[in-house]
Amino acid sequence: MKIAVDAMGGDRGPAIIVEGAVRAAREFGASVILVGDEPAVTRELRRHQTHGLQVEVRHASQVVAMDELPSLALRRKRDSSIRVAADLVRGGEASALVSAGNTGAAMAIAVVVLGVLPRVDRPAIAVVLPNLRGRTMLLDVGANVDSKPRHLLQFAIMGHVYARDILGVTAPRVGLLSIGEEEGKGNELTREAFKELEASGLRFIGNVEGRDIYNGNADVVVTDGFTGNVALKISESLADMLVALIREELTRTPLAKLGGLLARPALRRFLKRVDYNELGGAPLLGINGACFICHGASPPKAIMGAIRIAREWVEVKVNDHIRAALAGELAGILRGRARAGEGGRT
């Protein structure tokens, strides 16, 4: 199993990506193909001890800028590091793609090059967030600004499979993000999606509110990409603010510094619980392949985490389970509607 890594993605160039890939090869035994400008990537590799590690370089002559339009990247940069990495997955030379580059371009290239799974209308970007009891998966967080009820159903099914296979949740509780817990709350999208989810074979717990992302009441929270992206960005900024305030207060006075020193083990455990770098990248669910998108500012630890999860994704055959779940759940909905006299429309 080889993981194709976009070595030119990210805000700080190949240095961070190469370090993360080397660490993954060393600590997890991962086999990595670093895709990018060969001289630049090789120069960074020389900074590390790579003897005996399964790390190779594949040249790509172009780079997709972080602010570049995805449509232009598709048309004009067929030898970009993202595109070449996706081609490696399509051709079977690699099993998964990891990129910290332009999110829109990575998603567009993955869709065009790899395609989508049967019964998937649109892929979804999913993130795993900490909660009081463990972790919550939130999707979609930006792949689809406008969604339809059937899309949210598909997101829920894919999120259910990921939470079960990767996060280890036996029977994931699926909630629909809305402005109230009552069934009739929300806009037209959430009201119609509620009916779709209620008719599915999922463990649907109904509408959930923003607080349920973090209190542990749901394992999978489904929403459209616009709302999900807003929720994610607010969460990221809140986490950064809380960490900064804690550090500021613990260094304000000599007594506070002493208290901080005594509390250091607890603070380290706290930071680990809220550290997104443990899981690294966000999976692009629904792609006919494995694609993980990392934050542009990802440190080496996040790249390493994304490679680890990508390997696990391939090992447990997540896409095979998504295919089966989509076929089974949608077939069950059709049977239920037929019994209810609603016909067979989805």
Side-chain angles (χ1 to χ4, degrees):
M1 185 196 307
K2 295 182 179 181
I3 309 300
V5 179
D6 170 19
M8 310 307 290
D11 297 336
R12 292 176 284 178
I16 299 298
I17 310 300
V18 169
E19 182 181 344
V22 170
R23 289 174 60 180
R26 181 180 298 117
E27 297 187 28
F28 310 135
S31 180
V32 179
I33 304 175
L34 288 166
V35 184
D37 179 65
E38 187 169 8
V41 175
T42 303
R43 185 167 54 250
E44 293 300 330
L45 275 175
R46 292 197 186 103
R47 302 177 187 273
H48 304 276
Q49 294 293 333
T50 59
H51 180 71
L53 302 182
Q54 299 181 73
V55 178
E56 60 183 282
V57 180
R58 189 66 58 90
H59 181 65
S61 62
Q62 296 173 306
V63 178
V64 177
M66 296 297 281
D67 59 351
E68 194 163 344
L69 290 175
S71 58
L72 294 180
L74 271 171
R75 293 198 306 269
R76 300 178 182 177
K77 294 191 173 179
R78 295 182 177 273
D79 198 45
S80 68
S81 53
I82 301 177
R83 181 65 178 259
V84 173
D87 286 335
L88 291 174
V89 176
R90 183 182 63 178
E93 292 186 66
S95 300
L97 160 64
V98 172
S99 176
N102 184 312
T103 298
M107 185 181 70
I109 289 171
V111 170
V112 170
V113 175
L114 303 177
V116 296
L117 295 173
R119 299 183 177 87
V120 172
D121 294 319
R122 298 180 181 180
I125 300 175
V127 295
V128 179
L129 302 169
N131 66 41
L132 292 175
R133 304 174 189 175
R135 296 185 184 274
T136 300
M137 168 164 276
L138 174 66
L139 73 163
D140 176 28
V141 296
N144 307 280
V145 176
D146 297 307
S147 299
K148 296 180 179 180
R150 70 174 183 273
H151 300 151
L152 298 192
L153 172 62
Q154 293 167 10
F155 299 165
I157 294 170
M158 294 189 293
H160 161 90
V161 172
Y162 191 90
R164 183 192 65 199
D165 291 358
I166 301 298
L167 303 183
V169 182
T170 304
R173 298 160 298 167
V174 178
L176 176 63
L177 189 61
S178 188
I179 58 173
E181 297 179 352
E182 297 80 8
E183 180 178 346
K185 287 292 184 71
N187 54 20
E188 182 179 354
L189 172 63
T190 55
R191 290 194 295 270
E192 291 301 316
F194 189 102
K195 299 174 185 177
E196 298 275 359
L197 290 165
E198 193 174 37
S200 73
L202 299 172
R203 188 182 175 187
F204 180 53
I205 60 174
N207 287 338
V208 297
E209 298 180 276
R211 63 172 178 261
D212 294 304
I213 296 173
Y214 294 101
N215 62 20
N217 287 342
D219 302 301
V220 178
V221 175
V222 180
T223 186
D224 62 277
F226 181 90
T227 305
N229 191 265
V230 171
L232 175 63
K233 295 299 174 57
I234 291 174
S235 299
E236 288 176 343
S237 63
L238 177 61
D240 290 341
M241 184 198 71
L242 289 175
V243 171
L245 287 178
I246 290 172
R247 286 174 174 163
E248 180 181 320
E249 292 301 324
L250 290 178
T251 57
R252 186 177 294 275
T253 64
L255 186 59
K257 291 179 181 179
L258 177 60
L261 184 63
L262 295 174
R264 183 175 294 176
L267 289 173
R268 284 176 177 168
R269 292 193 298 270
F270 164 75
L271 290 174
K272 186 173 182 179
R273 288 182 66 180
V274 300
D275 186 6
Y276 75 92
N277 296 317
E278 293 293 327
L279 293 175
L284 184 58
L285 299 176
I287 291 297
N288 189 24
C291 177
F292 286 78
I293 299 173
C294 303
H295 197 289
S298 293
K301 183 179 179 182
I303 303 301
M304 181 175 64
I307 293 171
R308 177 178 63 83
I309 296 298
R311 291 178 70 226
E312 188 174 349
W313 166 292
V314 177
E315 287 170 353
V316 301
K317 296 179 170 54
V318 171
N319 268 351
D320 289 346
H321 298 165
I322 289 177
R323 288 188 189 94
L326 284 167
E329 298 294 351
L330 294 180
I333 291 169
L334 288 174
R335 288 194 297 269
R337 285 178 173 171
R339 288 194 296 270
E342 294 180 12
R345 183 177 61 85
T346 58

